[in-house]
Amino acid sequence: MPDLARPGRRRPPALLALGLVTLGVGISTAVAVPFLSLFLSTAVHAGPVRITVFLIVTPIAGVVASTLVGRLSDRRPIRRALLIGTSVAGVIGMGVAAFVRDYWVLLALTVTATSLAGALFPQTFAYARELLTRDGAGRAAMGTNALRTVFSLAWVAGPPLAAFLIDVGGFTYLYGIAALMYAAVALVVVFWLDELDPPTASTAPIAPDGEPTPDVPGMVEASRRTVLLTAVAFTLLQCPLTLSLQTLPLFVSGNLDGNLDDAGLILGLCAALEIPLMLGLGVLTTRFPLRVLMLVGAGSGVAYHVCAALTGSVSMLAVAQILNAVFIAAVSGLGISYMQDLLPRQPGRATTLFTNTFPIGAILAGPLFGLAQHFGLRLAYGIGTGLCAAGLLILLITRPPALQTRQPAS
């Protein structure tokens, strides 16, 4: 294993450098993504149909690009190079968007450079996985959760920063700052990170029934059926995250006699709870099996959506945000490590499989939200209950290899 600190060069620890990478990725996406529809409608002057096409094509292109990059990253020792390449793609994508206002140019950009930039997030966590497990996997989940928390912090600061940038200099400033963040990420990777050992995914045994093989203890990969079903489970769990977020402002004002300020306070309360809970769950992975914590998180999602569907007041919904925050912290934080444990020698593919469940779940949430608007907003939380319960059931019946149920480090 190459030493991450080359002789004669002083640099911060690799995990700190990865924290800076995660922060840069988080800020760049947090300033650009929430205001995409506003950018298309006001700056590009796209109509509703073109905006809809753009918003559908963007996540689909991102899923395809991330999948291809993820598979490539596990076959050759090029993960550091991919981090640099996807960062440069982000610089190009955001840099062009800062000045170009032609719809078709931007659409072409989103299926090329921007979609490749989307692979930076899973590849960062794949690199972190290899780094954290080189001396043992006992605390890998805790380190991954810490990095995921940095990403969440970036999303706390990102949208207000974006609003300020738009007010000061319009979308030129907004996308210009996003491009600078990607450039900073590329520089951190170039000067502070080294390439890790080449992956050996081709030699990893596949356990058809999810049981370990005695010749390679601790490195057994789950069967394709287990991996696929787990990805389906996470998609079912991710979909209610978007669905409930879309529903909450209308639900608070229309069904609970609240107002938009109440909805904002509830959303802020949930976000404030998520970050310490994400860190706390990361610490708990050193004491409890990751699978147990993941099941508790999914169960909290079921409980939250039941409470939301039945609540009659804003205050009850606010209290229920404790359950919602546990659910989000577990799925968004622990889910990465859970999927990586299924494919310990293919961290790029595993992380990409997990991160792709969010945009797919978000796409599914769109028509479900329309259905709830037609038949009543409480239906959205009823649907969320069913989706979370289905995801929890799949996780329960899909048992990963013994590696994933190992006793945590003391």
Side-chain angles (χ1 to χ4, degrees):
M1 176 71 67
D3 190 348
L4 290 179
R6 291 174 183 168
R9 179 187 296 178
R10 297 185 63 182
R11 63 170 96 183
L15 194 58
L16 175 58
L18 282 173
L20 294 175
V21 169
T22 306
L23 182 63
V25 175
I27 293 177
S28 62
T29 55
V31 299
V33 172
F35 294 91
L36 177 59
S37 59
L38 180 66
F39 170 67
L40 293 172
S41 61
T42 61
V44 183
H45 304 295
V49 174
R50 287 190 174 185
I51 292 175
T52 300
V53 170
F54 202 101
L55 295 179
I56 292 174
V57 168
T58 297
I60 293 175
V63 167
V64 173
S66 294
T67 300
L68 294 176
V69 172
R71 288 185 175 275
L72 177 64
S73 70
D74 290 324
R75 294 176 179 173
R76 300 188 179 198
I78 57 172
R79 201 177 309 281
R80 175 177 175 271
L82 290 174
L83 291 177
I84 297 170
T86 51
S87 300
V88 172
V91 174
I92 296 172
M94 296 298 104
V96 173
F99 300 101
V100 172
R101 298 295 178 263
D102 181 87
Y103 175 84
W104 296 108
V105 173
L106 293 170
L107 185 62
L109 198 69
T110 199
V111 299
T112 52
T114 305
S115 61
L116 284 174
L120 177 59
F121 177 81
Q123 287 307 308
T124 298
F125 281 86
Y127 186 102
R129 173 71 178 199
E130 289 187 330
L131 177 72
L132 291 165
T133 57
R134 61 177 180 165
D135 297 320
R139 298 183 182 273
M142 182 173 65
T144 298
N145 248 35
L147 291 176
R148 184 59 180 79
T149 303
V150 172
F151 187 81
S152 296
L153 285 170
W155 268 82
V156 172
L161 173 62
F164 170 77
L165 292 171
I166 293 173
D167 184 58
V168 171
F171 288 101
T172 298
Y173 277 31
L174 184 144
Y175 286 108
I177 290 297
L180 287 176
M181 289 296 101
Y182 278 115
V185 166
L187 291 174
V188 169
V189 177
V190 167
F191 291 106
W192 290 348
L193 293 178
D194 289 325
E195 194 64 74
L196 300 178
D197 275 352
T200 54
S202 59
T203 62
I206 302 296
D209 56 358
E211 292 299 324
T213 51
D215 54 333
V216 191
M219 288 300 289
V220 179
E221 300 209 329
S223 65
R224 292 183 179 179
R225 174 181 176 275
T226 297
V227 172
L228 177 61
L229 287 176
T230 303
V232 170
F234 279 121
T235 301
L236 294 173
L237 292 170
Q238 297 271 25
C239 182
L241 295 181
T242 301
L243 181 59
S244 62
L245 182 64
Q246 293 171 335
T247 303
L248 191 139
L250 294 176
F251 181 66
V252 168
S253 59
N255 293 68
L256 303 181
D257 297 324
N259 53 45
L260 291 181
D261 289 338
D262 294 326
L265 287 173
I266 289 175
L267 291 171
L269 174 63
C270 183
L273 291 170
E274 284 173 34
I275 293 174
L277 282 171
M278 199 172 288
L279 287 173
L281 287 173
V283 173
L284 287 177
T285 59
T286 65
R287 299 293 177 184
F288 299 96
L290 181 59
R291 175 177 168 81
V292 171
L293 297 175
M294 193 68 249
L295 294 176
V296 170
S300 298
V302 176
Y304 167 70
H305 285 86
V306 169
C307 292
L310 299 178
T311 188
S313 69
V314 172
S315 59
M316 290 179 61
L317 186 62
V319 172
Q321 294 311 304
I322 299 174
L323 292 170
N324 194 26
V326 172
F327 170 52
I328 296 172
V331 172
S332 300
L334 299 182
I336 297 175
S337 295
Y338 191 90
M339 187 67 80
Q340 287 175 337
D341 274 358
L342 297 183
L343 298 170
R345 296 194 180 188
Q346 302 180 72
R349 180 188 171 205
T351 311
T352 301
L353 277 171
F354 174 80
T355 56
N356 282 348
T357 63
F358 179 77
I360 295 173
I363 292 172
L364 296 175
L368 294 176
F369 178 64
L371 193 67
Q373 282 186 303
H374 184 73
F375 291 102
L377 293 174
R378 287 188 186 273
L379 177 63
Y381 293 103
I383 294 173
T385 300
L387 291 172
C388 289
L392 174 60
L393 179 61
I394 293 175
L395 290 179
L396 281 170
I397 65 176
T398 307
R399 193 169 186 84
L403 170 67
Q404 284 69 57
T405 56
R406 67 185 183 275
Q407 291 299 316
S410 59

